[in-house]
Amino acid sequence: MSVNVFVWIEQRDGQPVSASWEALGVARTLAGEGRVTALIFGAGVDPIVPLAFSYGADAVIRADDPSLAHYRCEPYVALLAQQVQTHQPDVVLAGATVAGRELLASAAADLNAPLLHDVTELTLENGKLRAVRPVLGGKVLSVEAVTGDGPQFVTLRARAFPLPEAQPGRSGEVIAVPPALPPDAIATQIECVESSGGTVSLTDASIIVSGGRGVGGPEGFAPIRELAEVLGAAVGASRAAVDAGWIPYEHQVGQTGKVVSPDLYIAAGISGAIQHQAGMRTAKVIVAINKDPEAPIFKLARYGIVGDLFEILPALTEAFRQRLK
Amino acid sequence: MHVVVLTKMTPDTEATVTVNASGQVHWGDKLVINPWDEYAITEAVLIKGAHNVQVTVMTVGPEAQSEALKHGLAIGCDQAVRLWDSALEKHDSLAYATVVAAAIRKLGDVDLVLFGKEMADLATDQHIFQTARKLGWNMLGFVAKIEALDFAARTVRVRRLTDRGAEVVASRLPAVISVLKDINEPKYPTFIGIRKAAKAEVPVWGLADLGLSAAEVAPRAQVLGYRELPKREGSAEIIEGATAQEKAEKLVARLLEEKIL
């Protein structure tokens, strides 16, 4: 059985997002003898094209235009829906990022097509996709399947699928297409962006160091940031720390914050309320640092250190610095 | 001028979840208003206070969902509508969007639709984006602040939080907005509000009222069942040591040994 698969390659400020390469890996597996096409939209995106081939694309549809420089719903959805309608792929994949979820849901709505989202497992049975995804704060897995006809749109949770090994030197057909909407038909204009300043995004991070009520105040995040810097990690926080105003909301991990699945999650001064667990339960390895040996976080963690985070974190930073040199 | 805010009831986060042998899930009997919707409803009521608009709170679901509507009315929404039909029993996000878009068109004079960031139980926001597409309106998701809103000039400017950072975006009405929790401090129902809400009549609109056929809301994807999560083995291995330094070195050694780093 062979299926043709489209994969949307997300770029932010010209940098491709690794969840897109994970999606290409899944596409390659699903496609069998079928064709995997990477869709790259942006301005000045040529450097991304050879990367898409190396991660498994057979062909690239490239739209390079100033109106597509940054993701915006209207021009991106119009173009993706148009290309899907033209080429009729069996499956359309993307990472379940903020933009990926909006883009695929919107294009699926335009085409009245089936949609599965934020999945952590994906299989093909008799041409229809079946997926698994965590629901209810990650406490159970829901098994879902496509039952309708048309191209099947799926977003994949970041880091739930392996990054394929790059094969430099692979190449294929590049199809250049113009934008589907003229600039003056786009109502939404981005006026300014405060980029997160080169810090690692939580959802893409392979390591996260998080602080909770135990850090005691905004300055308590300093040892957390220092450890994160040595590890190339993102900084997370519990709701308690965010609600206290110690750190901005965009760092919040949990049910009303971000859901993350890093390889390593270091929770410092976080008791591990259900609310927080909902956001980090799927981390591969959890390390808990807490003064209270009875804290629920120790039930979830693989490793625990009982102690004062203001002593443990600097010691950890130093130990990693020595060993990772 | 009219603002619509969507809401629903969800199981309490603290509820114990069990899955039986045939893959059916039971997640406690206590329902709460979807936590994100408290912000959306509050924002709708704040907009009502600042502009001369009517606010309708709306849900898709059976009778049990009326609680969320009563909450909205008690906080200050003017009217409530429940959308339900037996044909929607197994609806997917697209059917939800189709029904809500039809109801908003039926109301006629709507300029703005508000949602909470996602449905907390199903961890889904797909219905929001699909509602915007079915209406053909501009979608502004993950909004942390509405910086300017002008119903007469039909313009809106918002601050959104995306994976790229915070964006200030200008767009045009009509629009669909999904809100994050830093947009406001949620309002809570007053005693008078609760009494008023208890007396309110909530109309139920079915497919026929919305001019839709069952075929138009047939699900294209379905939940087959639920599975327990693989259990994490027991409790943590506690790293012991005389000093912080010793504990730290032991932990780092373990993480490197197991190739976690």
Side-chain angles (χ1 to χ4, degrees):
Chain A
M1 169 113 213
S2 72
V3 297
N4 294 325
V5 186
F6 267 21
V7 181
W8 176 57
I9 308 299
E10 179 172 359
Q11 52 85 17
R12 293 180 203 143
D13 300 304
Q15 294 301 310
V17 170
S18 59
S20 304
W21 305 141
E22 293 160 17
L24 264 182
V26 172
R28 195 67 273 164
T29 310
L30 290 177
E33 299 297 305
R35 180 163 148 127
V36 175
T37 304
L39 290 92
I40 305 173
F41 305 161
V45 291
D46 278 343
I48 303 176
V49 172
L51 293 172
F53 286 121
S54 77
Y55 283 112
D58 301 311
V60 166
I61 294 176
R62 188 203 59 173
D64 207 304
D65 190 89
S67 69
L68 300 170
H70 302 296
Y71 171 79
R72 281 184 294 170
C73 187
E74 302 141 80
Y76 272 60
V77 174
L79 184 54
L80 177 62
Q82 177 205 66
Q83 292 302 312
V84 170
Q85 194 136 43
T86 306
H87 298 276
Q88 295 290 326
D90 303 290
V91 175
V92 182
L93 300 180
T97 60
V98 165
R101 292 204 308 272
E102 179 178 278
L103 174 63
L104 265 64
S106 302
D110 284 9
L111 301 172
N112 286 317
L115 169 72
L116 300 171
H117 83 105
D118 201 18
V119 311
T120 54
E121 292 173 37
L122 188 65
T123 52
L124 194 61
E125 283 164 36
N126 302 321
K128 300 278 194 213
L129 289 169
R130 178 186 279 237
V132 169
R133 61 187 214 92
V135 296
L136 208 79
K139 283 194 266 190
V140 282
L141 299 172
S142 156
V143 183
E144 303 179 4
V146 168
T147 50
D149 297 324
Q152 306 171 66
F153 286 76
V154 188
T155 56
L156 311 171
R157 180 172 291 195
R159 307 188 46 75
F161 298 89
L163 187 67
E165 204 161 317
Q167 297 170 275
R170 280 183 90 256
S171 172
E173 184 189 4
V174 180
I175 306 159
V177 296
L181 289 184
D184 58 7
I186 306 166
T188 305
Q189 303 297 336
I190 302 172
E191 293 187 341
C192 69
V193 179
E194 302 150 31
S195 129
S196 13
T199 54
V200 188
S201 127
L202 274 173
T203 33
D204 299 334
S206 58
I207 306 176
I208 294 172
V209 187
S210 271
R213 200 185 298 275
V215 307
E219 59 291 336
F221 273 92
I224 296 206
R225 288 203 182 87
E226 281 161 28
L227 176 56
E229 199 180 328
V230 169
L231 292 172
V235 172
S238 73
R239 179 176 178 163
V242 172
D243 283 356
W246 301 342
I247 187 162
Y249 168 63
E250 63 215 60
H251 292 274
Q252 185 176 322
V253 172
Q255 182 155 35
T256 49
K258 293 208 167 74
V259 175
V260 298
S261 326
D263 294 333
L264 176 60
Y265 188 89
I266 302 178
I270 293 178
S271 64
I274 296 275
Q275 211 279 345
H276 188 70
Q277 291 189 16
M280 44 69 85
R281 199 190 290 270
T282 53
K284 287 199 184 79
V285 173
I286 296 165
V287 170
I289 300 163
N290 208 295
K291 267 188 197 165
D292 175 10
E294 302 299 322
I297 190 82
F298 286 116
K299 295 254 188 312
L300 208 60
R302 167 105 57 98
Y303 300 108
I305 294 182
V306 179
D308 183 349
L309 68 95
F310 293 104
E311 292 172 16
I312 305 291
L313 287 177
L316 268 178
T317 305
E318 189 48 39
F320 277 120
R321 196 175 273 144
Q322 295 297 327
R323 296 292 295 266
L324 297 177
K325 251 195 267 192
Chain B
M1 290 184 299
H2 202 146
V3 174
V4 171
V5 57
L6 273 296
T7 186
K8 72 171 284 194
M9 300 298 285
T10 61
D12 193 345
T13 318
E14 307 287 330
T16 312
V17 183
T18 52
V19 179
N20 69 16
S22 51
Q24 289 164 315
V25 71
H26 182 78
W27 43 40
D29 298 315
K30 192 182 162 214
L31 293 178
V32 297
I33 187 162
N34 180 33
W36 299 97
D37 296 348
E38 297 188 29
Y39 303 93
I41 293 171
T42 299
E43 196 62 21
V45 172
L46 290 172
I47 291 170
K48 179 186 155 182
H51 304 264
N52 183 26
V53 294
Q54 198 186 359
V55 176
T56 297
V57 58
M58 191 181 276
T59 193
V60 178
E63 174 61 31
Q65 292 294 325
S66 295
E67 275 310 301
L69 299 178
K70 300 268 174 181
H71 183 94
L73 290 170
I75 288 172
C77 296
D78 301 299
Q79 59 170 11
V81 180
R82 183 162 66 86
L83 313 177
W84 193 238
D85 198 288
S86 57
L88 292 169
E89 205 70 54
K90 292 196 165 178
H91 68 273
D92 60 1
S93 58
L94 196 60
Y96 178 105
T98 304
V99 167
V100 170
I104 288 166
R105 278 198 208 95
K106 184 178 160 91
L107 288 171
D109 56 347
V110 181
D111 300 292
L112 185 63
V113 178
L114 297 174
F115 283 87
K117 181 199 154 208
E118 64 183 18
M119 293 176 177
D121 50 353
L122 304 175
T124 184
D125 52 12
Q126 306 293 279
H127 60 293
I128 304 171
F129 312 131
Q130 297 196 316
T131 299
R133 292 309 286 190
K134 285 295 171 199
L135 287 165
W137 294 4
N138 298 314
M139 178 70 228
L140 302 167
F142 311 96
V143 168
K145 187 169 189 225
I146 298 179
E147 302 211 325
L149 180 60
D150 188 333
F151 286 98
R154 308 188 66 70
T155 55
V156 58
R157 193 192 313 112
V158 300
R159 183 181 155 86
R160 315 174 53 217
L161 296 184
T162 71
D163 286 328
R164 198 174 147 226
E167 274 181 4
V168 175
V169 169
S171 192
R172 301 192 60 78
L173 298 177
V176 175
I177 286 179
S178 78
V179 307
L180 299 175
K181 57 177 263 186
D182 38 6
I183 196 159
N184 56 42
E185 279 294 323
K187 287 178 183 284
Y188 293 98
T190 58
F191 180 67
I192 295 170
I194 292 168
R195 281 188 43 185
K196 218 176 107 196
K199 284 190 234 150
E201 284 290 316
V202 175
V204 182
W205 292 352
L207 292 186
D209 303 304
L210 298 170
L212 293 170
S213 69
E216 286 172 278
V217 295
R220 285 152 180 84
Q222 280 182 0
V223 174
L224 303 178
Y226 295 87
R227 262 182 12 209
E228 298 266 16
L229 280 183
K231 287 263 177 294
R232 282 191 187 272
E233 65 273 44
S235 47
E237 176 188 327
I238 301 294
I239 309 282
E240 306 284 358
T243 62
Q245 194 190 2
E246 192 187 331
K247 289 177 187 174
E249 281 168 3
K250 275 192 190 167
L251 174 64
V252 172
R254 292 286 277 140
L255 293 174
L256 291 171
E257 239 168 66
E258 297 210 15
K259 303 214 184 324
I260 291 158
L261 288 175

